[in-house]
Amino acid sequence: MLNITPAYLRFFIYNNIWVTAMDTLAAGSLLTAYAVSLGAGPLVLGLIGGVAYWGSAFNIVGAYLVSRGFSARKLTVGLSFASRPFYVLSALLALFPLWTNRSWWLFGFSWLSYALGGISAGAYYPWLKQTLPQEQTSGFVHLKYRSSVWAYLFTFTGVLVLFHYLSAQPAFCSMFVLAFVCGCLGSASLLFIPTQTPHYTPTNTTQNQTLHNTYTMPKTLTACMLGLFAFAYFFAFLPVFALKFLKFSFWSFTFLLILSKISFLLSLNGWNKIRTRYNAPYSLRLAFWALALVALAAGACGQLPVRYYGGAGIVLFLAAGAAGAGIKTGIDTFILQQAPQSNCAGYFTAFSFVRLLAAAGAFGAGLGLNSLEQTALSPASVWGWFFAIGFCLCVITAAFITLKWKEKHA
């Protein structure tokens, strides 16, 4: 039940549901798999793997245009629609096997889609900040992630069914056509939000007053950068750890991913209650302490007998899913609550830079793992040191938030 007010806020949620379905069908690992089926080499795979970060880079453009007086609503909706046809063009690549350099065309179409979508997303957050009442922020973020996980689980199940009944190329073609449809429905949902909506100011509650009294842009952006860096470092290579060290098969790994999403979903209510009773910084530091413990447990897996690897993987993904829910919803709530009313577009422009820099966490994880693998350490020791670094990153983030936001109670 979408229990948020004003009623038109539910269309932001509907947009998120359809966009989640779109991304499940045509982004991430499935986009990489499609590129492989089109004959992509290592260079193209590397470029396609990083294309999502280009989207984050273009967030800066959208937020900047809003700060220069462009309509956040028009930019969000218009560019969102403009990015969708590239999914149809990507789908057509599967139907023309004689088309040369198909993987490069896929990269080009994906890049253009992410570029336009990134500008749209950069304008989306200032529009949301202007539209969303301050006291509704935590509940809104809770509903957003709850609905997106259900959308992911439903869509991912559909993908598995699709690949069961169709061969690879028709399945990928169908997926990208469906991604286009879902994307257009998501963009259309935003049309139902009124052109003129109230510009809300923070209510004078103790919690909101506490948060805004402690607001300064540098420390807010520093906290987000540390948090996103640690998050990207850990979660970018947890799947690699499961596949490479714990030796999970593809189908077993798929089961782990579903378990993690279910854990994410089931823990959302608990994290929302913590944010409501205390505040977003308090819930964030708890989430990072939880992820630090997961990192310690992952590092200790190398000391277990091989027969326990299956159970260890299940526990790790369940715990990581719950901690990840606290971090993702906490950061979203935090950045929305800390955004100033007077210059929110400028704030989100700066945050776009931070998000782009924080994406280096995945790159840093790759460099760290590569360096460790060049040593004479055993695989268990390599992963032990890798997760020890992840533990330190989580502790540093939790400590920074504790020092800068000492308030616990609303």
Side-chain angles (χ1 to χ4, degrees), residues 140-298:
F140 175 86
V141 172
H142 165 71
L143 287 172
K144 170 188 169 183
Y145 277 98
R146 188 180 74 181
S147 59
S148 69
V149 172
W150 278 115
Y152 170 86
L153 291 172
F154 181 81
T155 308
F156 193 76
T157 302
V159 169
L160 295 178
V161 172
L162 202 62
F163 273 93
H164 179 73
Y165 287 103
L166 296 176
S167 58
Q169 294 299 307
F172 281 121
C173 181
S174 301
M175 280 167 45
F176 275 76
V177 170
L178 289 172
F180 166 75
V181 174
C182 291
C184 288
L185 289 172
S187 301
S189 300
L190 298 175
L191 295 173
F192 292 92
I193 300 169
T195 304
Q196 298 297 326
T197 56
H199 285 222
Y200 290 98
T201 55
T203 56
N204 194 26
T205 62
T206 304
Q207 181 183 25
N208 290 327
Q209 194 64 40
T210 296
L211 286 171
H212 283 275
N213 284 342
T214 60
Y215 168 80
T216 61
M217 186 178 287
K219 72 178 184 181
T220 299
L221 297 180
T222 301
C224 290
M225 184 173 66
L226 287 172
L228 290 171
F229 188 95
F231 183 89
Y233 178 96
F234 182 86
F235 282 96
F237 279 82
L238 182 62
V240 179
F241 177 66
L243 291 166
K244 195 171 181 179
F245 184 79
L246 299 180
K247 305 297 184 185
F248 277 80
S249 67
F250 172 77
W251 288 105
S252 298
F253 176 66
T254 301
F255 174 70
L256 282 185
L257 291 179
I258 293 173
L259 277 184
S260 179
K261 287 294 182 180
I262 292 172
S263 176
F264 186 107
L265 180 66
L266 294 177
S267 65
L268 286 175
N269 278 331
W271 290 115
N272 186 50
K273 288 178 181 178
I274 293 172
R275 287 194 305 274
T276 302
R277 184 176 178 183
Y278 301 99
N279 53 37
Y282 182 66
S283 72
L284 257 182
R285 61 177 175 259
L286 285 182
F288 274 107
W289 278 115
L291 188 60
L293 293 177
V294 177
L296 274 184

Side-chain angles (χ1 to χ4, degrees), residues 4 8-13 66 72-73 76 121-134 136-137 140-141 144 190 193 197-200 332 335-336 339 341 344 348:
I4 51 175
Y8 56 73
L9 290 175
R10 69 183 186 273
F11 290 106
F12 282 115
I13 302 292
V66 174
R73 184 181 188 274
T76 302
Y124 170 88
Y125 277 102
W127 181 26
L128 180 62
K129 176 65 180 180
Q130 294 166 1
T131 309
L132 181 66
Q134 180 79 6
Q136 295 276 350
T137 303
F140 175 86
V141 172
K144 170 188 169 183
L190 298 175
I193 300 169
T197 56
H199 285 222
Y200 290 98
D332 264 22
I335 63 171
L336 284 169
Q341 290 288 334
C344 70
F348 285 113

